[in-house]
Amino acid sequence: MKVLKFGGTSVGSAQRMKHVAELITDGEKKIVVLSAMSGTTNTLVEISDYLYKKNPEGANDIINKLEQKYKQQVAELYATEEYRQKTWDVLNGVFELIRNYTKDLFTLFEEKVVLAQGEIMSTNMVANYLQEKGVNAVLIPALDFMRTDKNAEPDPSYIREKLKMQLAKYPDAEIYITQGFICRNAYGEIDNLQRGGSDYSASLIGAAVDATEIQIWTDIDGMHDNDPRVVDKTSPVRQLHFEEAAELAYFGAKILHPTCVQPAKYANIPVRLLNTMDPTAPGTLISNDTEQVKIKAVAAKENITAIKIKSSRMLLAHGFLRKVFEIFESYKTSIDMVCTSEVGVSMSIDNTKHLAEIIADLKMYGTVTVDQDMCIICVVGDLTWENVGFETRVMDALKDIPVRMISYGGSNYNISLLIKEEDKKRALQSLSDTLFNNK
Ligand code: ADP
Ligand code: ASP
Ligand code: MG
């Protein structure tokens, strides 16, 4: 069985939902994971923000607008009044639930419930649409099988067992529709897998049912060799190793959520990125195969801070790095890049919540300097160290750009470079021109 996930833009309007319905009704049994309609989760975050700030009027304005939008989509989606009414009954319940929170105490717990409503609405809309068309489609609630444990990590054995029970309820169904993103936590409360987490849902579901393939459908023809939002003339990459995809996703290629890679890789299930707007395009296949001696793609991650600690005490000493890393660990701050010399070490972080405390603690061991508004550029491909010439090509592309750190050798799949955020566009464009000849 295949698992297909459609992102926010793919279900962004009644029109798009009809298109998805057409794509998935081919007689093959499948699980379909849906995001919320594009913009909805952001709107729900905004509503929550007003509720935290105890401004029910502000919240109500946005709730009303969102409700209007959904009314219009429901009117457009169905052919019969029966299905319009049936769907609106569910959506009306959702809006009532959200409105009730404008009268009550609002905490993190209520926010999670509000954020879950986007996926609840989109899945009900699509499942009802398919049923109206006579397709044997059923809605299986993610809240009944998707669960995280006490460390907020997904619980694979629970998911497998409960999902199987849900599927077994409808042995003849052709299409099982379910929500991405949402889950319950170890205490049974409604929670989520973080923003963009529908990809993760699809991957966890794929692993749970031993899927033959996990398809991530979005609004672009697969993973591109550079960020199409920044660089002109990018091309789709047809094949990626899981590790390459993970590096790209983590370092800014938004098309795939980084968490999505691990369950699929572990279960050895290929992930295919496909384009809803152009369903016959080949997209990108992500698997455990490597295409040898090839630079594949470039991605960039912004809002990076570089911290350097220099100390003559580090010379010929041991245990220095441990002391430095322990400081980061004590503030639950993860390090992305590390470069060392005999007298100093530079690290990059993206979470600056505890920057002041980290700097204060590091000063016990050496002289500390900080560079803010930096950007990691990540070049991905078969960069096994025996291959020659790759480093030169990358550095050549960046010959006019100041580079703060270079990291290579941590994996066979990437070189990371730290530059100023203001140089990002120039660097990406130049790498695109030099490495992929996308001139
Ligand atoms: P969805 O709602 O379907 O999950 P997202 O908005 O999360 O879609 O991600 C798709 C977007 O990611 C694309 O429209 C594209 O602009 C952007 N993107 C960023 N980097 C890349 C890349 N390297 N390749 C393809 N798309 C990328
Ligand atoms: N709807 C959620 C979000 O916008 C999850 C997702 O689309 O992946 O973050
Ligand atoms: Mg996404």
Side-chain angles (χ1 to χ4, degrees), residues 256-435:
L256 187 70
H257 197 273
T259 51
C260 157
V261 172
Q262 193 266 342
K265 176 181 157 61
Y266 190 64
N268 198 17
I269 301 168
V271 175
R272 205 182 282 276
L273 308 180
L274 290 160
N275 183 4
T276 328
M277 317 290 170
D278 185 6
T280 55
T284 302
L285 181 65
I286 306 168
S287 67
N288 275 316
D289 297 331
T290 313
E291 260 183 286
Q292 286 183 351
V293 201
K294 200 167 167 192
I295 294 189
K296 295 290 198 50
V298 175
K301 188 176 177 188
E302 293 189 334
N303 293 319
I304 302 294
T305 300
I307 304 167
K308 178 159 77 185
I309 169 161
K310 214 178 77 187
S311 168
S312 49
R313 275 194 275 165
M314 189 176 163
L315 196 69
L316 303 176
H318 50 79
F320 184 81
L321 283 179
R322 180 178 53 77
K323 286 182 195 140
V324 167
F325 290 156
E326 262 172 7
I327 292 172
F328 287 85
E329 190 186 351
S330 67
Y331 293 106
K332 293 193 164 61
T333 301
S334 62
I335 298 170
D336 280 333
M337 282 175 76
V338 187
C339 292
T340 62
S341 84
E342 201 41 65
V343 290
V345 49
S346 274
M347 289 143 298
S348 80
I349 59 170
D350 66 352
N351 175 2
T352 51
K353 199 167 157 207
H354 298 291
L355 182 62
E357 296 103 307
I358 290 172
I359 294 170
D361 287 7
L362 285 173
K363 282 182 177 163
M364 291 190 290
Y365 298 111
T367 312
V368 181
T369 39
V370 176
D371 294 297
Q372 275 165 324
D373 301 321
M374 306 295 283
C375 164
I376 295 178
I377 301 280
C378 177
V379 179
V380 159
D382 173 23
L383 297 164
T384 314
W385 70 273
E386 284 98 342
N387 296 341
V388 292
F390 287 141
E391 302 86 342
T392 322
R393 287 172 64 203
V394 172
M395 295 319 296
D396 190 42
L398 298 178
K399 63 176 182 283
D400 297 324
I401 291 168
V403 175
R404 168 74 178 74
M405 288 167 73
I406 302 173
S407 172
Y408 170 68
S411 87
N412 284 339
Y413 297 101
N414 82 305
I415 304 178
S416 301
L417 305 111
L418 192 71
I419 61 168
K420 285 186 204 149
E421 219 162 78
E422 64 193 52
D423 291 328
K424 170 182 146 179
K425 189 173 164 48
R426 204 155 56 99
L428 287 181
Q429 189 68 59
S430 175
L431 283 162
S432 184
D433 297 345
T434 312
L435 299 177

